[in-house]
Structures are given as C-alpha cells and as structure tokens.
Amino acid sequence: MENILEVKNLRVDFVGETKRVHALRGIDFSIGKGETLGLVGESGCGKSLTALSIMGLVPIPPGEVVSGEILYDDKNILKYTDKEMQLLRGNKISMIFQEPMTSLNPVFTVGNQLKEVIGKHLGKKGQEADEIAANMLTTVGIADAKRRLSNYPHELSGGLRQRVMIAMALLCRPALLIADEPTTALDVTIQAQIMNLLIKLKEEFNTSILMITHDLGVIAETCSRVIVMYMGEIVEMAPVNDLFDNPRHPYTKGLLESIPVLGQKGRLSTISGMVPDLSEIKEGCAFVSRCPYKTNKCLVEDPQLVGKNGHFVACWEA
C-alpha cells in the first residue's frame, strides 16, 4: 500500500521554568492511501499531540519539536513555513477537533466559517461559495442546509456542530483526515451516526483517516490497523483483528481486559498503579512501574518496537 503520510522518530518536548517534559518520544508510523489507522491510549499518552504535530499546531514555545520528520508527498512538512502550512492545512490534510463548540468561532455564522475555507483554498466567493457550503452541509446529513448557513454555533445541537466540523474538514476533499475523538460529549445514538457518516464519506472521497480515540469499540468497527500509545511512545502496532485476538504488550492486554462485557459480574479488571510523571522517566520501559511481568532488564533498557507480519510490540517479555 502506498503511504500518504510517514512519521519518523518524532520527538516533542515541553519546556517549563524548572523542567523539560518529553511528551512524544520517538514516534514512527505511516498511513496508507485510503486506510483508516486507529490511534488509541489513555488521556495524556500523546495521541492529540501527535495530531497537532502533523497539523503544525504545537504551540512553540513551550512546545519544541526536538527531532524527526513528518513526510507528506515525500516532503518534510516540519520544515514548512507558516504560509506553506496554511496552504496544506485544511486543504490536503484536515482535522476534526475534540469539542466543536470550542473549535467553531462563536461570533461568526456557520456559513461564514465554511466560506472562509472555500475562499482560502478553492478561490470561490459569493453565491458560488454559498452553494458549495450548503451542498457540503447536505452531504453530511444536515437538513435545510441553506437556512443553517445563517445559524451561529450555539444555535446548533452537539451532533449538528460535529457535522459542521466534518463538513468544514472535507470541503477540499483532503487526502488525509485526522479525527481527534470525533464523538466526545455526544450521546450514544449520535455517536453511531457520526461514525457511520465518517465511514461513508471516507469511501465516497477516498480519504485516509487517522482515528484518534480512547474507545476500543470505535477502533474495532472502523480501523484496519491500530497503534497503541503509552507515555509518548508506541508500545504496540498491529492489524486490528490481530491486536484484539492476540494482544502482546501488557498495557494492551490491560486495556482490553478493562472493557465491560454484557452480562459480566463482579468488578472490572484494572491496570495497577498510576501513570508516572513524564519528566521523571530517564531509562528503562515507561510501563515498568505498572507491569506484572517486569524483569531487571525492563528497569534499565527501553524496549524498541520489533515484530513481523505487521504486528510490532515494544516489550522485552512479549
């Protein structure tokens, strides 16, 4: 499969007055054309920061891209100027953010915000831009689209705001869509509608998707491959069915065992311990303090991602 994007040895730090936090610590992965790749892990593991790095939205300072490459069309976009990133962002690579109420501008109508993208990247204005905006709202399942163009974000429900964000992200038929927790804060019925919509539009536009979530159910339903992150590192990467049938990293096993099962009695399984402070990790495996299989080697040597047949794991005991 030809790759649409490659991330190589990406390292991102956040620098404070008294300490440096290694937020991303050597991220390597690729996304194929037309592929849906899942990125999963608990809050704070670096999922959203990976997305922001691809979009060129890491705040600098305090953020600092220490090393690595992000290759799109064989060009390292980490070297792009602000103007070059503005032309790429929202055009070739788009992103759906976690919370549409804070992502949409509250003082501009939905139509104005859609037409800003249309004018910037498609060069269309006036009535033609109105038609493009209304057609895209119809495409994402919003009824009476022309009337909705004059609505402000606060006048829409959470599900409609998320559909507006999807419409905005897909206006330019991007090659890659990053969906960062696209169903956060939505009720279960609306979540299902949004996920079905993304799958339908992916097939219609042949767009690759990076699906970022903590919900393993979403991963199972939508993705062909999945990456598991912990403490700014990739600890396992595999085809989705292989990961669910044969998880190899202790952290992945813990995540899967903590999923509620219909009819299950007793308490849910949990991962022992607490997530350590990123600034305090110096050597060894980041998961060592919580791992039931740890050895002395795990304390002093950081395992690298190795494997075969598309299933890779960073664990000395896997």
PDB file of all heavy atoms in Angstrom, residues 160-195:
ATOM      1  N   LEU A 160     -25.131  18.348  15.503  1.00  0.00           N
ATOM      2  CA  LEU A 160     -25.083  19.207  14.316  1.00  0.00           C
ATOM      3  C   LEU A 160     -23.763  19.969  14.242  1.00  0.00           C
ATOM      4  O   LEU A 160     -23.201  20.143  13.153  1.00  0.00           O
ATOM      5  CB  LEU A 160     -26.259  20.187  14.323  1.00  0.00           C
ATOM      6  CG  LEU A 160     -27.628  19.598  13.969  1.00  0.00           C
ATOM      7  CD1 LEU A 160     -28.709  20.659  14.087  1.00  0.00           C
ATOM      8  CD2 LEU A 160     -27.617  18.999  12.571  1.00  0.00           C
ATOM      9  N   ARG A 161     -23.256  20.433  15.391  1.00  0.00           N
ATOM     10  CA  ARG A 161     -21.959  21.123  15.380  1.00  0.00           C
ATOM     11  C   ARG A 161     -20.852  20.194  14.900  1.00  0.00           C
ATOM     12  O   ARG A 161     -19.968  20.606  14.144  1.00  0.00           O
ATOM     13  CB  ARG A 161     -21.640  21.662  16.778  1.00  0.00           C
ATOM     14  CG  ARG A 161     -22.465  22.860  17.185  1.00  0.00           C
ATOM     15  CD  ARG A 161     -21.866  23.576  18.381  1.00  0.00           C
ATOM     16  NE  ARG A 161     -21.877  22.757  19.588  1.00  0.00           N
ATOM     17  CZ  ARG A 161     -22.831  22.780  20.509  1.00  0.00           C
ATOM     18  NH1 ARG A 161     -23.878  23.583  20.344  1.00  0.00           N
ATOM     19  NH2 ARG A 161     -22.764  22.020  21.583  1.00  0.00           N
ATOM     20  N   GLN A 162     -20.909  18.931  15.323  1.00  0.00           N
ATOM     21  CA  GLN A 162     -19.885  17.988  14.879  1.00  0.00           C
ATOM     22  C   GLN A 162     -19.998  17.733  13.382  1.00  0.00           C
ATOM     23  O   GLN A 162     -18.987  17.612  12.684  1.00  0.00           O
ATOM     24  CB  GLN A 162     -20.010  16.674  15.655  1.00  0.00           C
ATOM     25  CG  GLN A 162     -18.816  15.745  15.512  1.00  0.00           C
ATOM     26  CD  GLN A 162     -17.546  16.334  16.078  1.00  0.00           C
ATOM     27  OE1 GLN A 162     -16.956  17.252  15.492  1.00  0.00           O
ATOM     28  NE2 GLN A 162     -17.104  15.830  17.210  1.00  0.00           N
ATOM     29  N   ARG A 163     -21.216  17.696  12.863  1.00  0.00           N
ATOM     30  CA  ARG A 163     -21.403  17.537  11.418  1.00  0.00           C
ATOM     31  C   ARG A 163     -20.867  18.750  10.656  1.00  0.00           C
ATOM     32  O   ARG A 163     -20.313  18.613   9.561  1.00  0.00           O
ATOM     33  CB  ARG A 163     -22.882  17.311  11.092  1.00  0.00           C
ATOM     34  CG  ARG A 163     -23.389  15.937  11.513  1.00  0.00           C
ATOM     35  CD  ARG A 163     -24.899  15.812  11.347  1.00  0.00           C
ATOM     36  NE  ARG A 163     -25.390  14.576  11.909  1.00  0.00           N
ATOM     37  CZ  ARG A 163     -25.570  13.438  11.230  1.00  0.00           C
ATOM     38  NH1 ARG A 163     -25.297  13.427   9.936  1.00  0.00           N
ATOM     39  NH2 ARG A 163     -26.014  12.357  11.816  1.00  0.00           N
ATOM     40  N   VAL A 164     -21.040  19.940  11.233  1.00  0.00           N
ATOM     41  CA  VAL A 164     -20.471  21.147  10.606  1.00  0.00           C
ATOM     42  C   VAL A 164     -18.944  21.043  10.558  1.00  0.00           C
ATOM     43  O   VAL A 164     -18.316  21.381   9.548  1.00  0.00           O
ATOM     44  CB  VAL A 164     -20.901  22.412  11.381  1.00  0.00           C
ATOM     45  CG1 VAL A 164     -20.119  23.640  10.884  1.00  0.00           C
ATOM     46  CG2 VAL A 164     -22.396  22.656  11.211  1.00  0.00           C
ATOM     47  N   MET A 165     -18.332  20.552  11.650  1.00  0.00           N
ATOM     48  CA  MET A 165     -16.874  20.384  11.674  1.00  0.00           C
ATOM     49  C   MET A 165     -16.423  19.384  10.619  1.00  0.00           C
ATOM     50  O   MET A 165     -15.393  19.585   9.957  1.00  0.00           O
ATOM     51  CB  MET A 165     -16.428  19.906  13.064  1.00  0.00           C
ATOM     52  CG  MET A 165     -16.492  20.966  14.142  1.00  0.00           C
ATOM     53  SD  MET A 165     -15.364  22.356  13.846  1.00  0.00           S
ATOM     54  CE  MET A 165     -13.792  21.514  13.851  1.00  0.00           C
ATOM     55  N   ILE A 166     -17.187  18.304  10.443  1.00  0.00           N
ATOM     56  CA  ILE A 166     -16.846  17.317   9.419  1.00  0.00           C
ATOM     57  C   ILE A 166     -16.975  17.933   8.032  1.00  0.00           C
ATOM     58  O   ILE A 166     -16.122  17.731   7.163  1.00  0.00           O
ATOM     59  CB  ILE A 166     -17.749  16.074   9.561  1.00  0.00           C
ATOM     60  CG1 ILE A 166     -17.456  15.353  10.880  1.00  0.00           C
ATOM     61  CG2 ILE A 166     -17.554  15.119   8.388  1.00  0.00           C
ATOM     62  CD1 ILE A 166     -18.441  14.245  11.213  1.00  0.00           C
ATOM     63  N   ALA A 167     -18.054  18.711   7.831  1.00  0.00           N
ATOM     64  CA  ALA A 167     -18.243  19.390   6.542  1.00  0.00           C
ATOM     65  C   ALA A 167     -17.073  20.320   6.245  1.00  0.00           C
ATOM     66  O   ALA A 167     -16.543  20.345   5.126  1.00  0.00           O
ATOM     67  CB  ALA A 167     -19.561  20.174   6.566  1.00  0.00           C
ATOM     68  N   MET A 168     -16.653  21.086   7.239  1.00  0.00           N
ATOM     69  CA  MET A 168     -15.541  22.019   7.061  1.00  0.00           C
ATOM     70  C   MET A 168     -14.251  21.280   6.720  1.00  0.00           C
ATOM     71  O   MET A 168     -13.470  21.699   5.864  1.00  0.00           O
ATOM     72  CB  MET A 168     -15.364  22.852   8.336  1.00  0.00           C
ATOM     73  CG  MET A 168     -14.417  24.024   8.189  1.00  0.00           C
ATOM     74  SD  MET A 168     -14.298  24.993   9.717  1.00  0.00           S
ATOM     75  CE  MET A 168     -15.986  25.540   9.913  1.00  0.00           C
ATOM     76  N   ALA A 169     -14.042  20.129   7.403  1.00  0.00           N
ATOM     77  CA  ALA A 169     -12.814  19.365   7.181  1.00  0.00           C
ATOM     78  C   ALA A 169     -12.779  18.731   5.792  1.00  0.00           C
ATOM     79  O   ALA A 169     -11.695  18.526   5.234  1.00  0.00           O
ATOM     80  CB  ALA A 169     -12.684  18.289   8.256  1.00  0.00           C
ATOM     81  N   LEU A 170     -13.945  18.429   5.231  1.00  0.00           N
ATOM     82  CA  LEU A 170     -13.990  17.708   3.957  1.00  0.00           C
ATOM     83  C   LEU A 170     -14.247  18.603   2.749  1.00  0.00           C
ATOM     84  O   LEU A 170     -14.321  18.109   1.628  1.00  0.00           O
ATOM     85  CB  LEU A 170     -15.076  16.632   4.025  1.00  0.00           C
ATOM     86  CG  LEU A 170     -14.806  15.466   4.988  1.00  0.00           C
ATOM     87  CD1 LEU A 170     -16.017  14.556   5.062  1.00  0.00           C
ATOM     88  CD2 LEU A 170     -13.580  14.681   4.556  1.00  0.00           C
ATOM     89  N   LEU A 171     -14.381  19.910   2.955  1.00  0.00           N
ATOM     90  CA  LEU A 171     -14.701  20.825   1.857  1.00  0.00           C
ATOM     91  C   LEU A 171     -13.737  20.704   0.683  1.00  0.00           C
ATOM     92  O   LEU A 171     -14.146  20.779  -0.481  1.00  0.00           O
ATOM     93  CB  LEU A 171     -14.698  22.279   2.365  1.00  0.00           C
ATOM     94  CG  LEU A 171     -16.006  22.789   2.968  1.00  0.00           C
ATOM     95  CD1 LEU A 171     -15.784  24.134   3.638  1.00  0.00           C
ATOM     96  CD2 LEU A 171     -17.086  22.892   1.903  1.00  0.00           C
ATOM     97  N   CYS A 172     -12.467  20.501   0.980  1.00  0.00           N
ATOM     98  CA  CYS A 172     -11.448  20.474  -0.080  1.00  0.00           C
ATOM     99  C   CYS A 172     -11.044  19.061  -0.481  1.00  0.00           C
ATOM    100  O   CYS A 172     -10.015  18.869  -1.133  1.00  0.00           O
ATOM    101  CB  CYS A 172     -10.220  21.263   0.367  1.00  0.00           C
ATOM    102  SG  CYS A 172     -10.542  22.991   0.750  1.00  0.00           S
ATOM    103  N   ARG A 173     -11.853  18.073  -0.093  1.00  0.00           N
ATOM    104  CA  ARG A 173     -11.556  16.679  -0.406  1.00  0.00           C
ATOM    105  C   ARG A 173     -10.124  16.327   0.006  1.00  0.00           C
ATOM    106  O   ARG A 173      -9.297  15.946  -0.821  1.00  0.00           O
ATOM    107  CB  ARG A 173     -11.730  16.395  -1.903  1.00  0.00           C
ATOM    108  CG  ARG A 173     -13.097  16.765  -2.485  1.00  0.00           C
ATOM    109  CD  ARG A 173     -14.196  15.836  -1.958  1.00  0.00           C
ATOM    110  NE  ARG A 173     -15.383  15.819  -2.799  1.00  0.00           N
ATOM    111  CZ  ARG A 173     -16.385  16.680  -2.713  1.00  0.00           C
ATOM    112  NH1 ARG A 173     -16.342  17.645  -1.828  1.00  0.00           N
ATOM    113  NH2 ARG A 173     -17.434  16.569  -3.516  1.00  0.00           N
ATOM    114  N   PRO A 174      -9.790  16.445   1.299  1.00  0.00           N
ATOM    115  CA  PRO A 174      -8.406  16.229   1.735  1.00  0.00           C
ATOM    116  C   PRO A 174      -7.952  14.786   1.517  1.00  0.00           C
ATOM    117  O   PRO A 174      -8.771  13.854   1.527  1.00  0.00           O
ATOM    118  CB  PRO A 174      -8.454  16.566   3.230  1.00  0.00           C
ATOM    119  CG  PRO A 174      -9.863  16.265   3.636  1.00  0.00           C
ATOM    120  CD  PRO A 174     -10.693  16.676   2.450  1.00  0.00           C
ATOM    121  N   ALA A 175      -6.652  14.615   1.333  1.00  0.00           N
ATOM    122  CA  ALA A 175      -6.089  13.273   1.198  1.00  0.00           C
ATOM    123  C   ALA A 175      -6.066  12.562   2.547  1.00  0.00           C
ATOM    124  O   ALA A 175      -6.148  11.336   2.609  1.00  0.00           O
ATOM    125  CB  ALA A 175      -4.680  13.358   0.618  1.00  0.00           C
ATOM    126  N   LEU A 176      -5.927  13.346   3.630  1.00  0.00           N
ATOM    127  CA  LEU A 176      -5.860  12.780   4.980  1.00  0.00           C
ATOM    128  C   LEU A 176      -6.759  13.570   5.918  1.00  0.00           C
ATOM    129  O   LEU A 176      -6.695  14.798   5.972  1.00  0.00           O
ATOM    130  CB  LEU A 176      -4.418  12.810   5.502  1.00  0.00           C
ATOM    131  CG  LEU A 176      -4.208  12.398   6.967  1.00  0.00           C
ATOM    132  CD1 LEU A 176      -4.610  10.945   7.179  1.00  0.00           C
ATOM    133  CD2 LEU A 176      -2.758  12.618   7.389  1.00  0.00           C
ATOM    134  N   LEU A 177      -7.594  12.843   6.654  1.00  0.00           N
ATOM    135  CA  LEU A 177      -8.463  13.444   7.665  1.00  0.00           C
ATOM    136  C   LEU A 177      -8.051  12.901   9.031  1.00  0.00           C
ATOM    137  O   LEU A 177      -8.004  11.688   9.244  1.00  0.00           O
ATOM    138  CB  LEU A 177      -9.927  13.089   7.389  1.00  0.00           C
ATOM    139  CG  LEU A 177     -10.947  13.559   8.431  1.00  0.00           C
ATOM    140  CD1 LEU A 177     -11.014  15.081   8.470  1.00  0.00           C
ATOM    141  CD2 LEU A 177     -12.328  12.973   8.130  1.00  0.00           C
ATOM    142  N   ILE A 178      -7.740  13.809   9.953  1.00  0.00           N
ATOM    143  CA  ILE A 178      -7.424  13.428  11.326  1.00  0.00           C
ATOM    144  C   ILE A 178      -8.667  13.669  12.169  1.00  0.00           C
ATOM    145  O   ILE A 178      -9.146  14.797  12.272  1.00  0.00           O
ATOM    146  CB  ILE A 178      -6.237  14.245  11.862  1.00  0.00           C
ATOM    147  CG1 ILE A 178      -4.999  14.026  10.996  1.00  0.00           C
ATOM    148  CG2 ILE A 178      -5.932  13.858  13.313  1.00  0.00           C
ATOM    149  CD1 ILE A 178      -3.826  14.930  11.345  1.00  0.00           C
ATOM    150  N   ALA A 179      -9.206  12.601  12.749  1.00  0.00           N
ATOM    151  CA  ALA A 179     -10.402  12.697  13.580  1.00  0.00           C
ATOM    152  C   ALA A 179      -9.997  12.477  15.032  1.00  0.00           C
ATOM    153  O   ALA A 179      -9.722  11.345  15.445  1.00  0.00           O
ATOM    154  CB  ALA A 179     -11.437  11.660  13.146  1.00  0.00           C
ATOM    155  N   ASP A 180      -9.934  13.564  15.799  1.00  0.00           N
ATOM    156  CA  ASP A 180      -9.480  13.502  17.193  1.00  0.00           C
ATOM    157  C   ASP A 180     -10.692  13.398  18.122  1.00  0.00           C
ATOM    158  O   ASP A 180     -11.370  14.391  18.369  1.00  0.00           O
ATOM    159  CB  ASP A 180      -8.644  14.744  17.522  1.00  0.00           C
ATOM    160  CG  ASP A 180      -7.993  14.653  18.898  1.00  0.00           C
ATOM    161  OD1 ASP A 180      -8.104  13.589  19.544  1.00  0.00           O
ATOM    162  OD2 ASP A 180      -7.371  15.642  19.325  1.00  0.00           O
ATOM    163  N   GLU A 181     -10.944  12.199  18.598  1.00  0.00           N
ATOM    164  CA  GLU A 181     -12.104  11.958  19.480  1.00  0.00           C
ATOM    165  C   GLU A 181     -13.372  12.573  18.877  1.00  0.00           C
ATOM    166  O   GLU A 181     -14.022  13.427  19.496  1.00  0.00           O
ATOM    167  CB  GLU A 181     -11.848  12.541  20.875  1.00  0.00           C
ATOM    168  CG  GLU A 181     -10.597  12.009  21.570  1.00  0.00           C
ATOM    169  CD  GLU A 181     -10.823  10.669  22.250  1.00  0.00           C
ATOM    170  OE1 GLU A 181     -11.892  10.064  22.056  1.00  0.00           O
ATOM    171  OE2 GLU A 181      -9.923  10.217  22.965  1.00  0.00           O
ATOM    172  N   PRO A 182     -13.765  12.149  17.661  1.00  0.00           N
ATOM    173  CA  PRO A 182     -14.871  12.835  16.973  1.00  0.00           C
ATOM    174  C   PRO A 182     -16.230  12.663  17.625  1.00  0.00           C
ATOM    175  O   PRO A 182     -17.175  13.362  17.252  1.00  0.00           O
ATOM    176  CB  PRO A 182     -14.851  12.183  15.574  1.00  0.00           C
ATOM    177  CG  PRO A 182     -14.242  10.837  15.803  1.00  0.00           C
ATOM    178  CD  PRO A 182     -13.221  11.038  16.876  1.00  0.00           C
ATOM    179  N   THR A 183     -16.362  11.733  18.580  1.00  0.00           N
ATOM    180  CA  THR A 183     -17.672  11.520  19.212  1.00  0.00           C
ATOM    181  C   THR A 183     -17.691  11.915  20.688  1.00  0.00           C
ATOM    182  O   THR A 183     -18.629  11.580  21.408  1.00  0.00           O
ATOM    183  CB  THR A 183     -18.093  10.044  19.077  1.00  0.00           C
ATOM    184  OG1 THR A 183     -17.094   9.201  19.673  1.00  0.00           O
ATOM    185  CG2 THR A 183     -18.255   9.656  17.622  1.00  0.00           C
ATOM    186  N   THR A 184     -16.661  12.642  21.138  1.00  0.00           N
ATOM    187  CA  THR A 184     -16.619  13.085  22.525  1.00  0.00           C
ATOM    188  C   THR A 184     -17.834  13.960  22.858  1.00  0.00           C
ATOM    189  O   THR A 184     -18.224  14.820  22.071  1.00  0.00           O
ATOM    190  CB  THR A 184     -15.329  13.884  22.799  1.00  0.00           C
ATOM    191  OG1 THR A 184     -14.222  12.998  22.623  1.00  0.00           O
ATOM    192  CG2 THR A 184     -15.290  14.435  24.208  1.00  0.00           C
ATOM    193  N   ALA A 185     -18.433  13.738  24.026  1.00  0.00           N
ATOM    194  CA  ALA A 185     -19.541  14.548  24.558  1.00  0.00           C
ATOM    195  C   ALA A 185     -20.846  14.379  23.789  1.00  0.00           C
ATOM    196  O   ALA A 185     -21.774  15.158  23.973  1.00  0.00           O
ATOM    197  CB  ALA A 185     -19.154  16.027  24.599  1.00  0.00           C
ATOM    198  N   LEU A 186     -20.922  13.375  22.917  1.00  0.00           N
ATOM    199  CA  LEU A 186     -22.169  13.105  22.207  1.00  0.00           C
ATOM    200  C   LEU A 186     -22.834  11.868  22.799  1.00  0.00           C
ATOM    201  O   LEU A 186     -22.151  10.953  23.264  1.00  0.00           O
ATOM    202  CB  LEU A 186     -21.897  12.873  20.714  1.00  0.00           C
ATOM    203  CG  LEU A 186     -21.220  14.011  19.950  1.00  0.00           C
ATOM    204  CD1 LEU A 186     -20.973  13.587  18.507  1.00  0.00           C
ATOM    205  CD2 LEU A 186     -22.044  15.281  19.999  1.00  0.00           C
ATOM    206  N   ASP A 187     -24.167  11.830  22.754  1.00  0.00           N
ATOM    207  CA  ASP A 187     -24.835  10.641  23.284  1.00  0.00           C
ATOM    208  C   ASP A 187     -24.634   9.470  22.330  1.00  0.00           C
ATOM    209  O   ASP A 187     -24.208   9.630  21.181  1.00  0.00           O
ATOM    210  CB  ASP A 187     -26.312  10.900  23.559  1.00  0.00           C
ATOM    211  CG  ASP A 187     -27.121  11.205  22.312  1.00  0.00           C
ATOM    212  OD1 ASP A 187     -27.015  10.420  21.337  1.00  0.00           O
ATOM    213  OD2 ASP A 187     -27.856  12.198  22.292  1.00  0.00           O
ATOM    214  N   VAL A 188     -24.952   8.269  22.796  1.00  0.00           N
ATOM    215  CA  VAL A 188     -24.600   7.043  22.075  1.00  0.00           C
ATOM    216  C   VAL A 188     -25.214   6.992  20.679  1.00  0.00           C
ATOM    217  O   VAL A 188     -24.558   6.594  19.709  1.00  0.00           O
ATOM    218  CB  VAL A 188     -25.042   5.806  22.896  1.00  0.00           C
ATOM    219  CG1 VAL A 188     -24.773   4.524  22.109  1.00  0.00           C
ATOM    220  CG2 VAL A 188     -24.301   5.756  24.217  1.00  0.00           C
ATOM    221  N   THR A 189     -26.466   7.415  20.555  1.00  0.00           N
ATOM    222  CA  THR A 189     -27.134   7.376  19.250  1.00  0.00           C
ATOM    223  C   THR A 189     -26.440   8.299  18.255  1.00  0.00           C
ATOM    224  O   THR A 189     -26.190   7.920  17.103  1.00  0.00           O
ATOM    225  CB  THR A 189     -28.610   7.797  19.390  1.00  0.00           C
ATOM    226  OG1 THR A 189     -29.246   6.941  20.333  1.00  0.00           O
ATOM    227  CG2 THR A 189     -29.325   7.699  18.058  1.00  0.00           C
ATOM    228  N   ILE A 190     -26.108   9.512  18.696  1.00  0.00           N
ATOM    229  CA  ILE A 190     -25.438  10.465  17.815  1.00  0.00           C
ATOM    230  C   ILE A 190     -24.024   9.994  17.494  1.00  0.00           C
ATOM    231  O   ILE A 190     -23.536  10.171  16.373  1.00  0.00           O
ATOM    232  CB  ILE A 190     -25.409  11.874  18.454  1.00  0.00           C
ATOM    233  CG1 ILE A 190     -26.835  12.334  18.774  1.00  0.00           C
ATOM    234  CG2 ILE A 190     -24.731  12.869  17.529  1.00  0.00           C
ATOM    235  CD1 ILE A 190     -27.746  12.413  17.573  1.00  0.00           C
ATOM    236  N   GLN A 191     -23.349   9.367  18.464  1.00  0.00           N
ATOM    237  CA  GLN A 191     -22.018   8.816  18.213  1.00  0.00           C
ATOM    238  C   GLN A 191     -22.050   7.850  17.036  1.00  0.00           C
ATOM    239  O   GLN A 191     -21.213   7.919  16.134  1.00  0.00           O
ATOM    240  CB  GLN A 191     -21.505   8.085  19.455  1.00  0.00           C
ATOM    241  CG  GLN A 191     -21.024   8.990  20.572  1.00  0.00           C
ATOM    242  CD  GLN A 191     -20.449   8.190  21.730  1.00  0.00           C
ATOM    243  OE1 GLN A 191     -20.004   7.069  21.551  1.00  0.00           O
ATOM    244  NE2 GLN A 191     -20.462   8.770  22.910  1.00  0.00           N
ATOM    245  N   ALA A 192     -23.023   6.949  17.058  1.00  0.00           N
ATOM    246  CA  ALA A 192     -23.139   5.957  15.983  1.00  0.00           C
ATOM    247  C   ALA A 192     -23.383   6.630  14.638  1.00  0.00           C
ATOM    248  O   ALA A 192     -22.806   6.238  13.613  1.00  0.00           O
ATOM    249  CB  ALA A 192     -24.264   4.972  16.303  1.00  0.00           C
ATOM    250  N   GLN A 193     -24.208   7.668  14.630  1.00  0.00           N
ATOM    251  CA  GLN A 193     -24.497   8.385  13.386  1.00  0.00           C
ATOM    252  C   GLN A 193     -23.233   9.052  12.835  1.00  0.00           C
ATOM    253  O   GLN A 193     -22.972   9.010  11.623  1.00  0.00           O
ATOM    254  CB  GLN A 193     -25.575   9.433  13.627  1.00  0.00           C
ATOM    255  CG  GLN A 193     -26.953   8.862  13.925  1.00  0.00           C
ATOM    256  CD  GLN A 193     -27.966   9.951  14.257  1.00  0.00           C
ATOM    257  OE1 GLN A 193     -27.668  11.138  14.185  1.00  0.00           O
ATOM    258  NE2 GLN A 193     -29.170   9.546  14.626  1.00  0.00           N
ATOM    259  N   ILE A 194     -22.462   9.677  13.719  1.00  0.00           N
ATOM    260  CA  ILE A 194     -21.238  10.363  13.291  1.00  0.00           C
ATOM    261  C   ILE A 194     -20.219   9.375  12.740  1.00  0.00           C
ATOM    262  O   ILE A 194     -19.588   9.617  11.695  1.00  0.00           O
ATOM    263  CB  ILE A 194     -20.633  11.168  14.465  1.00  0.00           C
ATOM    264  CG1 ILE A 194     -21.568  12.318  14.879  1.00  0.00           C
ATOM    265  CG2 ILE A 194     -19.251  11.708  14.093  1.00  0.00           C
ATOM    266  CD1 ILE A 194     -21.823  13.353  13.812  1.00  0.00           C
ATOM    267  N   MET A 195     -20.056   8.224  13.418  1.00  0.00           N
ATOM    268  CA  MET A 195     -19.099   7.222  12.940  1.00  0.00           C
ATOM    269  C   MET A 195     -19.530   6.656  11.598  1.00  0.00           C
ATOM    270  O   MET A 195     -18.703   6.467  10.693  1.00  0.00           O
ATOM    271  CB  MET A 195     -18.937   6.109  13.974  1.00  0.00           C
ATOM    272  CG  MET A 195     -18.297   6.536  15.289  1.00  0.00           C
ATOM    273  SD  MET A 195     -16.780   7.522  15.074  1.00  0.00           S
ATOM    274  CE  MET A 195     -15.795   6.429  14.066  1.00  0.00           C
TER     275      MET A 195
END
